[in-house]
Amino acid sequence: MGMKETVEHLASLEVDLINRIWGCVNEEEDAFEAISRQLVDKPDHADLQNFINHALTGVLLAVAYFRFRETMKPFLSPDEMGAAFAKMTEAKTRNVIDHWHERGEGQAE
């Protein structure tokens, strides 16, 4: 499989993964809504909110790391994977935070 085919294959896997995640979210929409209503009714219930945040963050990071590791196998050694993933997530986090700051300066979307 050439580079072009590999990139196309990885892109289709990414789209499939995103669709699967959204499918899971849609299937559990009622549960998410119920949890959201609990948080609105009891905003001081920080334990539940922290649990949800940690669970979602953990799942997303696990999926992202697996995808990153599979994508980078031809380019990085197993020892280099962790450091490279950490650098990528730090850069992406900075981009998101910068975007939030930009929107907070009067830019409504």
Side-chain angles (χ1 to χ4, degrees):
M1 185 181 294
M3 181 62 84
K4 182 179 177 186
E5 291 83 13
T6 301
V7 170
E8 288 173 356
H9 180 68
L10 290 172
S12 71
L13 290 176
E14 181 177 5
V15 169
D16 183 49
L17 178 60
I18 291 168
N19 288 336
R20 287 179 186 206
I21 291 170
W22 277 115
C24 291
V25 170
N26 286 334
E27 287 176 18
E28 297 297 327
E29 190 170 356
D30 292 339
F32 285 128
E33 184 177 343
I35 291 169
S36 297
R37 288 181 189 278
Q38 287 178 20
L39 291 174
V40 169
D41 290 341
K42 300 175 186 174
D44 294 335
H45 201 169
D47 290 341
L48 178 61
Q49 189 170 11
N50 286 337
F51 172 77
I52 294 165
N53 288 340
H54 285 298
L56 290 175
T57 301
V59 168
L60 292 174
L61 282 173
V63 169
Y65 184 67
F66 178 79
R67 180 176 159 255
F68 178 82
R69 200 177 68 213
E70 292 302 307
T71 303
M72 299 308 286
K73 271 184 184 176
F75 309 107
L76 298 173
S77 72
D79 294 338
E80 297 171 309
M81 293 282 185
F85 184 75
K87 286 180 184 179
M88 182 197 73
T89 54
E90 182 180 348
K92 288 191 175 289
T93 302
R94 271 197 314 268
N95 288 342
V96 170
I97 291 170
D98 290 346
H99 180 69
W100 285 342
H101 285 267
E102 290 171 5
R103 289 181 65 192
E105 295 173 358
Q107 294 181 356
E109 283 186 20

